[in-house]
Amino acid sequence: MRTEFDIVIIGSGAGGSPIAYELARAGKSVLILEKGPLFRPQDDPPGAPSDYKRDELFATGPEKRLTIDVGNRGSSIFSSHIEPDLNDEPHIYREPGGNDYATIEGYTAQAVGGGTQLYGAVSLRFTEADLQLKSFNESRTLKADPNGEVKREARDWPINYSDLEPFYCKAEKLVGINGQQAGQEKPFSQFDTYQKPLAPNPVSQFAAAGMEVKGMKSYRTPLAVITEDHASSGRRIPRDADGTATPEVAKTGFVNRYGCPLGLKSNTYVALLRPLMNDTDVGDNFELRANCVVTHFTQQNGKVDRVHYLDPSGTPREVSGKIVVVACSAIESVRLLLLSGEHDASFAERLHQGSIGGSIVGKYFLTHAFGGAEGNVPGVFDKSLSLDSDYATDFCALPEFLDEHGLWAGAAIYNNTSDQALPISMGRTHRSQDLDTIWNSFVNESDIRGDGFLNWLHGNFQRGLSVSFMANQVPMRSNRIELHPRVTDKWGRRVAYILKGWHEHDQHLMNVMAEQCRDILEKGGVAVEGHGHVGNDARARIANHILGGMRFGTDPSDSALNPNCRAWQFDNLYVTDGSFMPTSGGANPTLTIQANSFRVASHLINDGVV
Amino acid sequence: MRDDQYVLNHCTTYLARSDQAPRHDFGFGHYGDGDAGARIREAWRFPIVDSCGLTTTGKPESEFNDVTFVFPDFEMQCDSVAVVGTFDKLYQPIRLRRVDFLGEPTAYFAVTVPVPKRGVFYYRFMVDGEFFIDNINPQRDRLENGELWSRFFTWECTSPVVLQRWQLGILERFCDHILPFRTKQGERFFSWYYKHLANEAKAGTIRGSFRIDDSAGAANYIDKILAKEERHHFGDYNICLRQLRRIIQEREPDFEPENASENTYVEIYKEMAAGPIGDVAGWNLSEYGSPRHFLNLLRRHAFTGAFSHPKYGGNVTTAGWQFLQSRFPFEWQQSLEQPLGTSTSYRG
Ligand SMILES: Cc1cc2nc3c(=O)[nH]c(=O)nc-3n(C[C@H](O)[C@H](O)[C@H](O)COP(=O)(O)OP(=O)(O)OC[C@H]3O[C@@H](n4cnc5c(N)ncnc54)[C@H](O)[C@@H]3O)c2cc1C
């Protein structure tokens, strides 16, 4: 068993895989240690059925009960087959009343591919301003910021849009994304980064119409789903009996929260890692060890010298890498670093060194300020034959819009197409905002029975349309990830403890954006049933866009990572999942995590780091 | 044949751990003291019942499940493990292999066997010559000869596993009451549907034998989920169905409870749903504190059973989905594997 590599990467999701792809192809020896299973799509190996299924009970499985000693002990939990078990390894958050609750929020997925296995695959770029929010706001007047915190806490990224842009192009091409450039407010240096979008689901026309009436330029939402053969990953669109490609088979209600059995959704396994494994030039230079959880690092003189992990039997093992890349998703990466510090005092000393006002590790944890509106369209449409979204607009990121509303940052707005497209997903998410409260409303509304059930179906099934916004959250030092003082996982390791709230300006921004979403639907002819945002829900403060906590920057006293995502006090330790972000961007984060990971790979190769 | 990677993928997160606390005992007598299952995440997943890859029998894969038996040996002290059971050549031992990781032996022994769908089966492990039941799988049954055996069932199983006939009968009535199939529109659909099934049966085009009721097999689904994934709710059902039987009998002494009048079921449903805990005349609250809690559980199960993938035992012959399709644009067949659906790319 090989124990020495040029690069050891922890986590095979959006932040880890692009580096593996680039470095293994550059002739370096690369190991990925991934905690979750290597669930494979159909015919991998040939003839084998898929580990991912079009089965609603895979997305939100049977009920379990929370047994650990926290405030919500005894409550029901429902998780996907590739999310961790809350009794084995919960995330704990402190609710406003001061009680500690366990939650599944804050986990993306634990499998090879990480969150990209379950994601809705909405793959937007951030805007130029998203990366420069400090400079952008310097001379602006903001509402709902009486103490000037927003301007004080806003940060510029240490790179700007033009530094990242070539890597957006690279990510879009290598991951395999369909979409439309025209209509976006972000510059593209290459015209051919997207595959062709499929025809939209007819239900989305109401959102598109609403955007048009409001004068919002719209475009087809970029989605990480291939619609044409994808040469770099060797994926082919299924053919019919005549040999004609049938890209429409990707349209199914089993998109968001489901792994794709056909490998058409561009998760990092099928897009990047499997091609490496099949590349004879790469050969033994790339190894993927699934079902291996990294427990801690040790260091000597500023170099991580050992990566300690448990193999599939739970047996402790070690490897070493000239470079070590942490990409466990923000909460788990911070946790892994903090736990390493508990094992090795010299590690802790370096990790926490240098920042003003105490360690910055785990601080400035971010998610997205998000929310939207939903309603019923006139007519019924088969939403079960769709991808996750059809139309998006950058209108609410335009400077004029932000000035008009006194906002520090903008949002992407897009319609959701496949939500509640299947019967059980409609039942379990009926009036539910988050993963911890699903089923509650349906089971309690006992009038939904017999004719009442039929009426409820007629009122909701294949009629619902929602529009969401995704916006920057104001960075606050008090929003943070720590180790829980008491609760441990099934390995006896302390679990992550999440403390997080919203700034007054976030609430203002979310009110404005939710109102825009409501208006889009209304102008599009949709009977709006509700609109709102996560600002009032403690659990959904965490959700599954988990960012920050190890932000990068140019000043070691104000950031945990340098501009190349290397931990300031370590020579060979990099962090490339969503935790590097100093601000969370006005769009879904995964494409930006991937692009940044390609950027870091390019630095490692071209600057001769390894 | 499933490779070692498959076995590790389906074992590690559930079985590997250092903490031996009963983190997965949800109470209600779910596990006995010291039962290994309480220490394991989702012990019900074992043996692993999955879609079938390739059969060597020449019969279609869709008629089989791949069943992977796993025997963990964290102390690494066993030499030979075999499984004997009612699923293959009767009681002939099938050897499990030691699963490797990077060329080294792991804690897991495993073997995959194709087993016909729609059946209930019994097995034991033979470890270094001695018989044991499966320590992980919580499904166990005492056979007629008094011996304790481990049990599993394959997909689309419609024989009752843990519930008795009278329990299923009462459940069917409640499921009918909750689900939209006993409405005028539902009845119209089902009369068409039964005719259609009868024609198919005549033509020999429907698969297997099944027992269908108006609730699209939701009660059968509940039997399966209580045997397996939500075994911790078996106690709720046992207690509450016993109470309901008594209460229905008190109100309609001339009928078997499952044949009591519609009106009685309507009234009891209303009473169960009344107020925060329910208010059912005759309910013994000291035995079960909230009939409403039970109703909520039943509502979730009825819904899930009627509309989930038929492999779980409900939505028999896709009746639930076909009902939806008769009222809404819902081309579910296009996404799903044959022979349930029509997808030419996805095999299930
Ligand atoms: C249902 C859902 C829908 C989503 N939809 C979208 C969307 O439409 N668009 C979008 O941009 N984003 C979406 N996201 C978010 C997206 O999944 C994440 O932004 C992205 O995956 C984060 O990348 P990452 O590298 O930070 O972490 P991940 O991709 O989560 O990768 C982290 C990996 O590290 C592994 N790991 C963790 N700890 C350890 C350890 N100790 N040892 C070894 N391995 C470890 C994990 O198992 C995991 O595989 C969605 C997420 C979910 C859950």
Side-chain angles (χ1 to χ4, degrees):
Chain A
M1 190 179 297
R2 184 170 181 175
T3 55
E4 290 184 9
F5 294 84
D6 290 328
I7 300 104
V8 176
I9 300 170
I10 331 301
S12 61
S17 296
I19 297 193
Y21 184 82
E22 294 290 78
L23 280 117
R25 284 162 49 93
K28 307 297 172 195
S29 57
V30 178
L31 170 69
I32 292 189
L33 291 168
E34 166 57 54
K35 180 181 174 190
L38 171 55
F39 278 179
R40 293 164 288 189
Q42 194 169 281
D43 286 324
D44 177 3
S50 171
D51 291 315
Y52 293 107
K53 309 264 192 243
R54 292 177 176 170
D55 172 344
E56 285 213 79
L57 300 191
F58 267 49
T60 311
E63 188 226 37
K64 297 188 264 191
R65 286 293 174 92
L66 195 66
T67 65
I68 52 173
D69 185 17
V70 286
N72 53 343
R73 178 185 187 146
S75 60
S76 300
I77 41 181
F78 301 87
S79 53
S80 139
H81 67 136
I82 53 167
E83 281 165 333
D85 182 277
L86 285 197
N87 289 318
D88 275 348
E89 24 196 359
H91 283 156
I92 310 285
Y93 71 96
R94 192 192 291 161
E95 54 88 51
N99 294 311
D100 286 354
Y101 277 33
T103 179
I104 192 68
E105 301 272 336
Y107 272 120
T108 53
Q110 295 200 329
V112 170
T116 66
Q117 290 290 0
L118 293 191
Y119 74 159
V122 171
S123 297
L124 297 160
R125 296 181 174 198
F126 288 179
T127 64
E128 291 173 289
D130 281 335
L131 275 54
Q132 306 296 317
L133 284 173
K134 183 176 178 58
S135 323
F136 177 72
N137 282 299
E138 236 138 44
S139 53
R140 300 181 63 240
T141 311
L142 301 180
K143 289 193 181 146
D145 184 27
N147 304 320
E149 282 145 352
V150 178
K151 286 189 176 187
R152 202 161 53 244
E153 292 290 10
R155 289 291 177 279
D156 288 348
W157 289 27
I159 55 172
N160 57 35
Y161 184 88
S162 60
D163 297 323
L164 198 56
E165 204 281 336
F167 301 101
Y168 270 136
C169 294
K170 183 169 218 164
E172 280 158 353
K173 287 181 170 175
L174 287 176
V175 169
I177 293 175
N178 77 78
Q180 177 193 348
Q181 293 184 353
Q184 297 198 38
E185 297 297 338
K186 303 132 195 169
F188 284 75
S189 65
Q190 298 174 21
F191 69 91
D192 59 348
T193 60
Y194 292 138
Q195 296 192 341
K196 268 202 283 311
L198 302 176
N201 186 294
V203 76
S204 303
Q205 66 189 290
F206 299 97
M211 291 176 189
E212 195 179 332
V213 174
K214 281 177 66 68
M216 297 173 158
K217 215 166 25 170
S218 70
Y219 55 92
R220 295 299 309 286
T221 314
L223 298 169
V225 175
I226 58 164
T227 56
E228 302 164 33
D229 292 348
H230 188 244
S232 68
S233 65
R235 285 178 292 159
R236 265 167 63 85
I237 301 297
R239 303 301 203 258
D240 65 14
D242 307 330
T244 310
T246 57
E248 293 281 320
V249 300
K251 285 186 181 168
T252 149
F254 302 91
V255 185
N256 198 348
R257 283 189 70 71
Y258 296 89
C260 176
L262 302 182
L264 300 174
K265 178 151 91 180
S266 298
N267 63 69
T268 54
Y269 171 63
V270 295
L272 301 173
L273 302 183
R274 189 172 62 179
L276 275 188
M277 293 155 101
N278 294 336
D279 186 336
T280 45
D281 290 341
V282 170
D284 291 344
N285 256 348
F286 176 62
E287 248 194 69
L288 169 62
R289 295 185 190 164
N291 303 301
C292 290
V293 57
V294 174
T295 53
H296 61 287
F297 306 123
T298 44
Q299 74 90 36
Q300 273 197 351
N301 304 322
K303 266 184 94 103
V304 172
D305 62 343
R306 288 271 178 281
V307 174
H308 301 259
Y309 71 98
L310 299 167
D311 76 7
S313 308
T315 308
R317 297 191 183 265
E318 296 174 9
V319 284
S320 61
K322 291 180 193 148
I323 300 279
V324 173
V325 178
V326 182
C328 302
S329 88
I331 294 173
E332 288 300 308
S333 285
V334 168
R335 176 181 174 223
L336 177 57
L337 293 169
L338 294 176
L339 286 172
S340 302
E342 297 221 314
H343 266 274
D344 176 349
S346 71
F347 188 97
E349 200 177 309
R350 279 185 183 271
L351 184 67
H352 300 305
Q353 196 179 320
S355 38
I356 292 173
S359 174
I360 199 166
V361 172
K363 310 292 191 317
Y364 296 103
F365 174 54
L366 299 161
T367 64
H368 273 121
F370 75 97
E374 60 186 5
N376 287 326
V377 297
V380 279
F381 300 89
D382 191 349
K383 296 191 3 151
S384 75
L385 300 176
S386 69
L387 298 180
D388 201 40
S389 171
D390 283 321
Y391 293 100
T393 176
D394 294 340
F395 182 88
C396 295
L398 292 173
E400 307 81 72
F401 179 87
L402 301 182
D403 286 345
E404 183 189 338
H405 295 281
L407 298 175
W408 80 302
I413 290 186
Y414 56 88
N415 84 296
N416 307 103
T417 313
S418 68
D419 58 326
Q420 304 205 324
L422 300 168
I424 296 177
S425 80
M426 193 174 83
R428 69 187 170 215
T429 59
H430 176 56
R431 289 193 229 277
S432 158
Q433 298 282 354
D434 61 64
L435 293 173
D436 295 330
T437 55
I438 52 175
W439 281 118
N440 284 0
S441 292
F442 172 81
V443 300
N444 270 308
E445 289 178 34
S446 55
D447 289 346
I448 306 181
R449 56 145 297 272
D451 282 316
F453 199 125
L454 209 53
N455 292 340
W456 174 73
L457 285 171
H458 279 289
N460 295 283
F461 193 48
Q462 309 298 35
R463 296 190 59 197
L465 180 64
S466 65
V467 167
S468 301
F469 68 84
M470 204 55 75
N472 279 277
Q473 169 176 18
V474 174
M476 287 159 61
R477 197 178 170 91
S478 54
N479 286 341
R480 62 195 191 273
I481 303 154
E482 297 178 349
L483 295 177
H484 195 271
R486 185 171 51 79
V487 179
T488 54
D489 71 7
K490 64 174 179 173
W491 300 109
R493 306 160 70 228
R494 291 210 274 154
V495 303
Y497 189 28
I498 299 146
L499 299 116
K500 188 169 179 290
W502 298 105
H503 190 272
E504 190 181 334
H505 190 78
D506 291 325
Q507 301 277 4
H508 165 62
L509 180 148
M510 291 192 275
N511 288 337
V512 170
M513 297 297 179
E515 188 54 37
Q516 292 297 318
C517 293
R518 188 198 58 72
D519 205 35
I520 288 173
L521 286 181
E522 213 159 80
K523 299 245 167 17
V526 178
V528 176
E529 296 258 295
H531 70 297
H533 55 72
V534 295
N536 305 320
D537 186 319
R539 282 171 296 260
R541 286 175 184 176
I542 308 166
N544 49 32
H545 292 179
I546 40 183
L547 310 162
M550 289 294 291
R551 72 181 182 193
F552 73 161
T554 49
D555 175 359
S557 69
D558 186 53
S559 54
L561 306 174
N562 80 3
N564 291 317
C565 289
R566 179 173 61 76
W568 280 108
Q569 310 298 337
F570 292 88
D571 296 337
N572 67 337
L573 178 63
Y574 290 76
V575 183
T576 59
D577 54 35
S579 60
F580 79 90
M581 293 191 187
T583 53
S584 49
N588 313 45
T590 307
L591 180 69
T592 303
I593 298 173
Q594 289 166 329
N596 180 63
S597 180
F598 279 117
R599 183 188 68 89
V600 173
S602 152
H603 157 69
L604 294 176
I605 296 168
N606 296 331
D607 298 341
V609 180
V610 65
Chain B
M1 184 55 203
R2 299 292 195 148
D3 57 13
D4 283 3
Q5 182 71 59
Y6 174 89
V7 178
L8 298 177
N9 291 340
H10 289 81
C11 286
T12 306
T13 184
Y14 306 108
L15 302 177
R17 62 194 54 245
S18 60
D19 182 11
Q20 299 301 330
R23 288 172 178 257
H24 304 278
D25 185 345
F26 306 152
F28 318 107
H30 182 199
Y31 283 108
D33 276 351
D35 195 315
R39 303 198 291 263
I40 287 164
R41 166 179 176 184
E42 295 163 29
W44 53 263
R45 288 189 186 269
F46 297 90
I48 305 154
V49 181
D50 201 345
S51 342
C52 181
L54 295 170
T55 58
T56 45
T57 58
K59 292 190 191 148
E61 283 80 45
S62 59
E63 286 299 306
F64 290 84
N65 284 125
D66 273 349
V67 177
T68 303
F69 297 92
V70 175
F71 181 85
D73 171 30
F74 284 101
E75 280 76 40
M76 307 292 277
Q77 43 181 234
C78 305
D79 289 328
S80 110
V81 182
V83 59
V84 292
T86 57
F87 45 88
D88 196 50
K89 297 203 184 72
L90 206 61
Y91 301 117
Q92 264 200 17
I94 305 171
R95 260 188 91 108
L96 278 67
R97 69 179 188 283
R98 177 78 79 167
V99 170
D100 283 350
F101 173 66
L102 304 176
E104 293 181 12
T106 65
Y108 312 103
F109 284 91
V111 69
T112 303
V113 186
V115 180
K117 280 188 182 167
R118 297 182 276 279
V120 182
F121 304 90
Y122 297 90
Y123 68 102
R124 278 180 169 188
F125 286 129
M126 200 164 72
V127 184
D128 295 333
E130 263 189 81
F131 279 111
F132 293 93
I133 54 162
D134 187 338
N135 232 343
I136 310 172
N137 174 8
Q139 292 194 59
R140 282 151 210 182
D141 248 355
R142 216 163 270 290
L143 302 191
E144 278 172 9
N145 62 10
E147 284 176 354
L148 195 62
W149 283 67
S150 289
R151 179 189 67 214
F152 69 94
F153 51 90
T154 47
W155 291 357
E156 296 178 31
C157 176
T158 48
S159 347
V161 177
V162 291
L163 293 177
Q164 297 173 26
R165 280 280 163 204
W166 69 265
Q167 294 176 311
L168 284 164
I170 296 178
L171 275 182
E172 275 167 21
R173 293 295 305 274
F174 275 107
C175 288
D176 280 348
H177 192 64
I178 295 167
L179 294 167
F181 308 137
R182 270 295 173 105
T183 56
K184 247 198 212 109
Q185 293 172 357
E187 300 213 324
R188 219 176 300 141
F189 167 77
F190 272 96
S191 76
W192 168 84
Y193 184 71
Y194 282 125
K195 233 183 272 158
H196 169 78
L197 277 186
N199 289 342
E200 283 206 351
K202 260 187 240 147
T205 48
I206 46 170
R207 294 153 304 111
S209 63
F210 59 86
R211 185 172 162 276
I212 188 168
D213 48 72
D214 289 6
S215 60
N220 182 51
Y221 164 87
I222 295 173
D223 175 60
K224 301 302 164 294
I225 200 165
L226 294 179
K228 198 173 166 181
E229 291 92 337
E230 295 192 20
R231 206 175 133 264
H232 54 285
H233 285 307
F234 185 51
D236 300 65
Y237 276 83
N238 253 335
I239 295 170
C240 296
L241 288 174
R242 204 167 51 224
Q243 292 222 27
L244 287 168
R245 177 170 64 171
R246 178 178 47 74
I247 292 164
I248 298 166
Q249 264 169 348
E250 279 163 14
R251 297 189 191 183
E252 290 203 47
D254 299 339
F255 294 95
E256 285 301 312
E258 61 265 41
N259 298 327
S261 70
E262 182 69 19
N263 199 32
T264 296
Y265 277 90
V266 171
E267 286 309 314
I268 292 179
Y269 181 94
K270 266 195 213 141
E271 292 168 28
M272 288 173 87
I277 61 161
D279 183 11
V280 182
W283 189 276
N284 177 355
L285 287 173
S286 65
E287 195 187 26
Y288 197 88
S290 167
R292 173 148 198 172
H293 181 265
F294 178 67
L295 181 67
N296 286 1
L297 182 64
L298 178 56
R299 286 178 54 76
R300 175 169 63 80
H301 284 162
F303 189 132
T304 313
F307 298 113
S308 57
H309 193 288
K311 67 184 175 196
Y312 297 101
N315 192 6
V316 178
T317 63
T318 67
W321 291 338
Q322 292 195 50
F323 170 75
L324 290 176
Q325 195 172 16
S326 74
R327 321 255 1 124
F328 301 94
F330 182 43
E331 298 296 322
W332 58 271
Q333 289 96 334
Q334 290 191 30
S335 297
L336 285 201
E337 70 274 17
Q338 298 179 20
L340 296 177
T342 56
S343 173
T344 51
S345 46
Y346 172 55
R347 294 200 307 270

